Amino acid sequence: METTKATETIEKNTILIADDAEINREMIKFIFDEQYHIIEAEDGEQAINIITEYSDKLCLLFLDLLMPKKSGLDVLSFMNEEDYINYIPVIMITGEATDETDEKAYELGASDIIYKPFAPNVVMRRAKNIMELFEHRIYVERKLEKRTRQLRESREKLERSNEFLVNALSSVVEFRSLESGEHIQRVKYFTKLFLKYIMKFYPKYGITKEKASLIVNASALHDIGKIAIPDSILLKPGKLTSEEFEEMKKHTIYGCELLEKFKQDENEFYHYCYDICRYHHERHDGKGYPDGLKGDDIPIWAQIVSVVDVYDALVSKRVYKDPFAVEEAARMIIDGECGLFSPEMLDCFGLAKQELFAVTEGEFSFADVMVK
Amino acid sequence: MTVQEFYEEVGGDYNEIMSRLRTEDRIRKFAGMFTRDESYKSLVQCINDGNADDAFRAAHTMKGMCQNMAFTRLYKSSHEITEILRGKDLEGAKQMLGVVTEDYNVVIAGIEKLLA
């Protein structure tokens, strides 16, 4: 018994016939009652109650137009409000064709209109076609939904793995220099904050949510080239000689050489990584390194990482300096005492400043950051 | 009385009903249902009560049943009264009701003989 019940619940093989005259219901019922389970409604109100109760079992509804309490059109409106109309096909049964009500019934989602008197085999054929169509559509929709969900899940998984690998790779340099704690995590976070303002106030740069997420990930790799800098320079306690500094500057080039070994020309992410590695020490006035690019010749993503890198360096403790207070660091950047940035970058920095401060002194505050 | 004789007597279309319902047993069953239906009673009542809307619906239902049963003569008069009531013309309906009643009584009497 239990099994039968279970199958009945899953199988949609119940037809609802809503008509106020028994004889009219019977005219349809005898066509289908060998193959289907039939439920009858004598008026629109009953029809609505039955639809609500048996919605998952109904495979078809025959609906009379003119009924007491609620009309056929009322039932259709109800089915639209509750979305049943997309899962239960409706065939209207009517005595005469009036363009107005026919049009209205089709508008409300009726699949077909059959006029009295009707031939049983024709009604059977049309009903079966409509049920097949609905079944197929619902099947395809469910399949598509499932597929979309699977795709999204595997994409998210891939993104997480990607982020993990990028983080692991970037932290290699940090691990070696022991210098700035979680500098990379902060640069990522600051870049994300910065991009939020760029997207909002500078649509001219064409940064979308998808691009932003790639740029944030790429920002982690900005100093990857430092892996090629000898310990004597990278770990030197104190100021570098000008010769040593020239070597240190090459980390931008080294980073790119490293990336070029795995070049993916058609991959957007590769280009963000490359540009950020190479150009995050360029200056708006063309006096940066390694290529001396000027203004907006410097890719916007490299300009962003440049600002947040400078800010983080200022508020962090280094072997050769104490950390600056956040307000002071911000003033130095805005006054051009440390690096030189485009007006747009400075504008965004001004907008993002308070949030940067909050983060610096909040969740990303570390022993090497002076807290005022 | 055969089903064919019955259809001839009440002014119906035997060939049409046979093409749709296929068996005489089924036609008899439906004819029995027709006698139990209350639309005619309701039509008379609503016209007397001056309730044009419900009278229209009763006439409409009756017309639909006659279409289904291929009771051509009764279909014609019930169709006419339906259209009169669609225009809410109760006076016109009262005049038409006589014809409908006459046709209806012929059908009911015929069914009684058919099922006797």
Side-chain angles (χ1 to χ4, degrees):
Chain A
M1 280 317 276
E2 283 302 308
T3 354
T4 336
K5 249 188 182 169
T7 343
E8 268 174 16
T9 341
I10 298 160
E11 242 184 85
K12 286 180 74 161
N13 73 333
T14 302
I15 296 178
L16 170 60
I17 303 170
D19 194 310
D20 53 336
E22 183 197 9
I23 206 166
N24 293 341
R25 295 196 298 272
E26 206 63 36
M27 283 279 171
I28 299 166
K29 191 176 172 182
F30 89 88
I31 306 172
F32 294 96
D33 64 1
E34 271 179 30
Q35 293 177 51
Y36 296 88
H37 181 235
I38 307 287
I39 306 181
E40 297 175 53
E42 289 176 22
D43 58 52
E45 219 167 79
Q46 268 187 24
I48 286 174
N49 291 337
I50 291 166
I51 292 166
T52 310
E53 189 175 345
Y54 296 94
S55 64
D56 55 336
K57 290 179 191 162
L58 292 177
C59 59
L60 185 63
L61 164 58
F62 282 104
L63 188 59
D64 183 23
L65 208 50
L66 212 67
M67 287 185 293
K69 291 179 186 166
K70 293 255 162 72
S71 76
L73 292 180
D74 292 337
V75 175
L76 278 178
S77 299
F78 161 80
M79 290 180 76
N80 275 276
E81 282 159 27
E82 302 291 323
D83 200 36
Y84 292 123
I85 201 73
N86 288 315
Y87 301 97
I88 305 167
V90 178
I91 297 178
M92 302 296 295
I93 300 281
T94 177
E96 67 271 298
T98 55
D99 288 345
E100 204 184 323
T101 42
D102 285 12
E103 185 60 35
K104 188 89 185 128
Y106 281 129
E107 256 173 42
L108 287 170
S111 292
D112 202 355
I113 299 176
I114 288 176
Y115 304 100
K116 287 175 222 167
F118 40 77
N121 51 347
V122 174
V123 173
M124 174 69 107
R125 201 58 263 161
R126 278 160 84 168
K128 285 209 160 167
N129 285 344
I130 287 165
M131 285 189 279
E132 259 176 46
L133 204 70
F134 258 66
E135 220 172 89
H136 183 69
R137 212 202 63 211
I138 292 165
Y139 170 76
V140 169
E141 270 174 16
R142 298 243 160 98
K143 213 168 139 180
L144 192 71
E145 255 170 46
K146 197 177 155 199
R147 192 82 195 98
T148 312
R149 198 175 54 241
Q150 282 172 341
L151 274 174
R152 198 183 52 234
E153 277 167 9
S154 60
R155 203 193 57 218
E156 282 168 2
K157 208 168 144 187
L158 205 67
E159 276 170 7
R160 280 198 302 276
S161 306
N162 249 335
E163 200 187 345
F164 167 76
L165 284 174
V166 170
N167 284 343
L169 181 60
S170 336
S171 65
V172 167
V173 178
E174 260 191 0
F175 203 72
R176 192 173 145 237
S177 66
L178 304 166
E179 150 186 272
S180 53
E182 302 196 12
H183 170 65
I184 282 159
Q185 289 310 315
R186 284 194 305 255
V187 165
K188 278 178 81 172
Y189 200 89
F190 294 159
T191 302
K192 195 174 170 184
L193 262 178
F194 224 90
L195 281 162
K196 189 175 82 181
Y197 289 98
I198 293 275
M199 284 191 278
K200 192 166 174 193
F201 295 105
Y202 291 97
K204 68 171 177 177
Y205 293 120
I207 304 291
T208 60
K209 240 176 110 183
E210 290 71 30
K211 282 182 201 268
S213 130
L214 293 175
I215 292 168
V216 169
N217 240 345
S219 74
L221 292 168
H222 67 285
D223 272 343
I224 192 75
K226 282 190 178 167
I227 199 74
I229 304 294
D231 279 356
S232 58
I233 296 173
L234 188 70
L235 304 180
K236 186 180 178 186
K239 284 232 164 196
L240 301 177
T241 66
S242 64
E243 214 170 48
E244 288 166 340
F245 189 54
E246 284 311 309
E247 177 61 19
M248 187 62 162
K249 280 157 90 174
K250 287 186 186 157
H251 78 275
T252 51
I253 308 284
Y254 295 150
C256 291
E257 283 172 0
L258 201 146
L259 293 177
E260 273 174 326
K261 293 201 166 90
F262 314 101
K263 187 170 185 172
Q264 294 182 353
D265 222 355
E266 72 295 343
N267 187 347
E268 206 182 340
F269 182 60
Y270 170 80
H271 290 286
Y272 293 138
C273 292
Y274 185 94
D275 290 349
I276 288 170
C277 271
R278 190 168 187 106
Y279 305 124
H280 75 281
H281 285 292
E282 297 290 357
R283 282 166 54 111
H284 188 62
D285 60 3
K287 289 181 180 159
Y289 64 87
D291 299 317
L293 294 188
K294 244 188 195 170
D296 275 348
D297 285 348
I298 310 162
I300 185 74
W301 30 93
Q303 292 186 43
I304 294 167
V305 174
S306 184
V307 184
V308 301
D309 188 36
V310 166
Y311 170 77
D312 192 61
L314 286 172
V315 297
S316 301
K317 185 178 161 59
R318 291 286 197 264
V319 281
Y320 52 85
K321 74 163 195 48
D322 280 334
F324 288 97
V326 289
E327 290 284 0
E328 178 63 3
R331 190 199 57 75
M332 289 167 79
I333 287 171
I334 289 164
D335 291 352
E337 285 174 26
C338 199
L340 195 96
F341 304 101
S342 73
E344 289 91 344
M345 283 301 116
L346 291 179
D347 182 34
C348 274
F349 184 78
L351 292 164
K353 191 167 81 169
Q354 290 306 326
E355 270 191 89
L356 288 175
F357 292 171
V359 171
T360 317
E361 295 177 337
E363 58 182 297
F364 278 109
S365 83
F366 303 97
D368 61 354
V369 178
M370 191 180 83
V371 179
K372 252 171 71 174
Chain B
M1 188 187 231
T2 68
V3 174
Q4 186 161 10
E5 283 165 354
F6 160 74
Y7 266 84
E8 274 160 21
E9 190 168 313
V10 304
D13 190 333
Y14 173 76
N15 290 331
E16 196 212 310
I17 197 70
M18 271 307 279
S19 78
R20 286 194 282 109
L21 297 190
R22 307 275 175 207
T23 69
E24 297 205 341
D25 276 353
R26 195 175 284 135
I27 296 170
R28 282 198 182 85
K29 188 179 144 208
F30 277 99
M33 273 181 226
F34 188 86
T35 58
R36 289 200 299 275
D37 186 83
E38 310 233 311
S39 302
Y40 171 74
K41 243 192 248 171
S42 169
L43 172 67
V44 177
Q45 183 76 47
C46 292
I47 287 176
N48 289 337
D49 292 351
N51 182 347
D53 286 342
D54 286 349
F56 166 68
R57 210 175 40 234
H60 192 273
T61 301
M62 204 172 136
K63 179 190 80 166
M65 286 189 301
C66 293
Q67 271 176 309
N68 273 336
M69 292 302 294
F71 295 157
T72 317
R73 194 193 297 152
L74 181 56
Y75 163 72
K76 279 181 185 153
S77 50
S78 55
H79 173 67
E80 242 175 274
I81 203 167
T82 302
E83 291 314 304
I84 291 168
L85 285 164
R86 198 192 291 276
K88 299 192 196 295
D89 176 8
L90 276 167
E91 277 314 303
K94 269 180 193 161
Q95 282 171 29
M96 186 65 206
L97 190 58
V99 183
V100 175
T101 301
E102 199 176 303
D103 294 343
Y104 180 75
N105 287 339
V106 170
V107 169
I108 294 298
I111 294 173
E112 270 163 21
K113 270 191 271 177
L114 176 70
L115 300 182

